[in-house]
Amino acid sequence: MLEQLQALDNININFSPESLHIVNLILALVMYGVALGIRPQTFKNVLLFPKSAFVGLFAQAIALPAITFLLVVLLNNWITPMIAMGMILVASCPGGNMSNFMSQLSRGNTELSISLTAIGTVITPILTPFNFWLWGSFYTNFVNNQAGEAIWLRIPFLDTFKLVLLLLGIPLLLGILTVRYFPKIARKIKKPLQNLSVALFLILIVVAFSNNLDIFWSPIFIFIFILVLVHNSAVLGTGYGLATLFKLPPKDRRALTIETGIQNSGLGLVLLFNLMNRGILTDPIGGMLVVTAWWGIWHIISGLLISFYWSRRAAR
């Protein structure tokens, strides 16, 4: 099994620099669209639910990567380092903006969901590279101690930070400035721009992996499927467990569960493509790519399943 998983690292992803420029542009468009929904009132809502907001931020920023680290340590004998790093990368990414729709569908606290998404998006340029570096370094040290010899896995904090700042920070700033100085334009273009950018982004990710569909039909993919299922379930359970532990209202529990379990793994894919293209990541990282890509599909399925289940049950 391990030999088959290690073989995933050497898969050849046909993704040209020209395609990467287009994906970067679309990601910037996505983040600009998200920023158009960030208003001062969004952050004021946090003051209305301070306990729920702080629990939600703790779940996303600290508990999620910590639980993922514990999970990869427990599964160390059955997974490869690159697959483990893919799980850590996903856990370091911010929540996806689809979580707001899912929270509304599940009859949860949509205002809390929007507030958590907004705050998470704003702190992403710092939080994502930091968590990836921190927990990735913890895992590297663990692997080295277990192996008895040095295994080199570079976790490029500064390079990742610069990249995230360029891809996300500038579009976020432009979006916030548009809301501040051109509110009418922002309201008019927000919805169509968000829908268009997300649709284009999903299409390009599918095209990027279209030449590697044999991987997703191979027997080893069953293991990847189960692994992502377990990881995503643990993440959703962490969100719901913390919300229950701190005795949050039922609607807040639903919103927090979805916010914690829906990760912007598309950002993780774009980061990997950019780090490879710039020669920053030189080791074969196919395992990271496969895990991150399937996460991007599965979390939508699991999120919608939970949302439809809760949509038929009132939050008492």
Side-chain angles (χ1 to χ4, degrees):
M1 178 68 74
L2 279 177
E3 291 181 356
Q4 291 177 297
L5 291 175
Q6 288 169 349
L8 288 177
D9 292 338
N10 296 312
I11 63 172
N12 181 30
I13 303 295
N14 298 312
F15 210 68
S16 66
E18 293 75 18
S19 299
L20 185 59
H21 293 325
I22 297 175
V23 170
N24 288 341
L25 181 61
I26 292 177
L27 178 62
L29 196 63
V30 170
M31 300 315 299
Y32 178 76
V34 171
L36 293 179
I38 300 177
R39 292 175 170 79
Q41 182 60 39
T42 304
F43 297 99
K44 290 179 182 178
N45 287 337
V46 176
L47 300 177
L48 300 177
F49 332 100
K51 182 179 178 180
S52 297
F54 283 122
V55 173
L57 290 174
F58 173 80
Q60 287 183 300
I62 299 175
L64 171 56
I67 289 294
T68 301
F69 172 74
L70 292 176
L71 186 60
V72 298
V73 167
L74 290 173
L75 297 175
N76 183 59
N77 293 330
W78 294 278
I79 61 177
T80 63
M82 285 304 170
I83 287 178
M85 290 302 299
M87 296 168 64
I88 292 173
L89 175 62
V90 169
S92 303
C93 290
N97 55 350
M98 282 192 67
S99 60
N100 302 151
F101 163 73
M102 292 180 182
S103 292
Q104 185 178 27
L105 178 62
S106 65
R107 303 167 77 175
N109 189 334
T110 308
E111 290 79 9
L112 174 63
S113 176
I114 293 173
S115 299
L116 289 173
T117 299
I119 296 174
T121 300
V122 170
I123 64 177
T124 289
I126 296 176
L127 190 63
T128 293
F130 175 76
N131 270 336
F132 184 47
W133 166 79
L134 178 67
W135 297 101
S137 298
F138 285 163
Y139 176 72
T140 301
N141 292 334
F142 168 78
V143 171
N144 288 339
N145 291 333
Q146 291 291 310
E149 58 183 8
I151 295 178
W152 179 250
L153 287 175
R154 185 184 178 195
I155 313 300
F157 170 71
L158 188 58
D159 292 315
T160 306
F161 171 73
K162 292 178 181 177
L163 189 57
V164 174
L165 189 63
L166 178 65
L167 294 176
L168 304 190
I170 295 176
L172 282 172
L173 178 61
L174 291 175
I176 292 173
L177 290 175
T178 302
V179 172
R180 174 66 177 84
Y181 294 105
F182 307 99
K184 292 183 179 179
I185 295 177
R187 284 195 297 269
K188 185 176 295 186
I189 66 174
K190 174 191 168 186
K191 197 65 177 179
L193 182 61
Q194 287 180 342
N195 293 337
L196 175 64
S197 58
V198 171
L200 289 174
F201 187 73
L202 291 175
I203 291 172
L204 275 175
I205 293 300
V206 170
V207 171
F209 281 85
S210 61
N211 294 327
N212 299 276
L213 288 179
D214 55 318
I215 297 170
F216 296 97
W217 292 108
S218 64
I220 194 62
F221 179 68
I222 298 175
F223 181 84
I224 299 295
F225 177 89
I226 295 174
L227 181 66
V228 171
L229 172 64
V230 171
H231 187 199
N232 185 239
S233 299
V235 168
L236 290 167
T238 298
Y240 189 81
L242 284 172
T244 304
L245 178 65
F246 285 94
K247 300 179 180 179
L248 301 185
K251 285 191 173 184
D252 291 11
R253 295 182 192 181
R254 295 183 178 189
L256 199 149
T257 300
I258 292 173
E259 279 295 317
T260 309
I262 304 301
Q263 299 303 111
N264 189 355
S265 53
L267 169 62
L269 278 177
V270 175
L271 286 177
L272 290 177
F273 287 138
N274 277 276
L275 292 173
M276 284 192 306
N277 188 60
R278 299 184 182 199
I280 298 170
L281 284 178
T282 55
D283 294 325
I285 58 170
M288 294 179 69
L289 288 168
V290 172
V291 169
T292 307
W294 180 243
W295 237 99
I297 298 172
W298 176 251
H299 77 151
I300 296 175
I301 297 173
S302 64
L304 288 175
L305 287 174
I306 293 174
S307 298
F308 280 122
Y309 174 80
W310 273 334
S311 68
R312 298 177 177 275
R313 288 163 175 78
R316 301 183 184 279

